Amino acid sequence: MTTSVSSSTSDDNVIKNVTKNVTKSVTAKQTTVVVKRHGFMRLLYTCKHTFNGLKWMCRNEAAFQQEILLFIPLTVFACMANISAPQSAILVLALLFVLFAELVNTAIEVVVDRIGLEFDTLSGLAKDIASAFVFLSMLMAAIVWWVILWA
């Protein structure tokens, strides 16, 4: 009987130690401190996160890759064309707006997928609206290019 009592006490101690370790682990995760940076360090970390986002888009998002492949030669063309500097800037900004729209579209898709991968009508609608945003940005860019170069 003594053996069973000590075994029970030993098991209880093991359970208490595991519980303490799990509680410490959960508490450590809950008490993660977010550091608010200021000044130059904030700018530095903002640039780092921006670079990480653009790098991820270039490696993983096919639509963004295709848009970059159009952006580069069209930007070179806009800068070398026989038009004024403000017109060249407007052409490049129109192209940048398409990239911006693709970034927003992908961000919405990632957040919707983060919430859940099962089919949901509102999730699909959010993705469709974000896709329409990209389409409209491309249409706007095409109109700007047409007006500046041929109108």
Side-chain angles (χ1 to χ4, degrees):
M1 179 132 174
T2 307
T3 306
S4 88
V5 170
S6 68
S7 174
S8 174
T9 305
S10 175
D11 290 344
D12 288 344
N13 288 337
V14 169
I15 291 171
K16 285 179 185 177
N17 287 336
V18 169
T19 304
K20 284 180 185 178
N21 290 337
V22 169
T23 303
K24 285 179 184 178
S25 174
V26 170
T27 305
K29 289 180 183 178
Q30 290 175 347
T31 60
T32 302
V33 177
V34 176
V35 176
K36 290 286 192 176
R37 293 179 172 83
H38 302 283
F40 180 73
M41 289 306 292
R42 180 181 175 280
L43 179 63
L44 187 64
Y45 276 88
T46 299
C47 291
K48 175 187 170 203
H49 294 301
T50 300
F51 177 74
N52 287 341
L54 289 172
K55 182 172 66 172
W56 187 91
M57 289 291 289
C58 288
R59 288 183 178 168
N60 300 299
E61 191 61 33
F64 192 78
Q65 293 167 354
Q66 294 164 355
E67 290 157 359
I68 287 288
L69 288 176
L70 281 174
F71 173 80
I72 293 169
L74 289 175
T75 298
V76 171
F77 175 79
C79 293
M80 296 180 73
N82 191 19
I83 56 177
S84 68
Q87 288 175 323
S88 292
I90 290 170
L91 293 178
V92 173
L93 287 173
L95 297 173
L96 283 172
F97 188 69
V98 172
L99 295 177
F100 168 74
E102 191 61 50
L103 289 167
V104 172
N105 176 40
T106 303
I108 290 170
E109 289 178 351
V110 167
V111 169
V112 167
D113 290 345
R114 164 70 171 83
I115 292 169
L117 294 176
E118 66 279 349
F119 177 78
D120 181 79
T121 305
L122 290 177
S123 295
L125 180 60
K127 289 182 173 189
D128 290 346
I129 291 170
S131 179
F133 178 48
V134 174
F135 173 76
L136 289 177
S137 73
M138 289 178 178
L139 183 62
M140 290 168 53
I143 291 169
V144 167
W145 275 71
W146 182 80
V147 167
I148 289 179
L149 295 177
W150 292 286

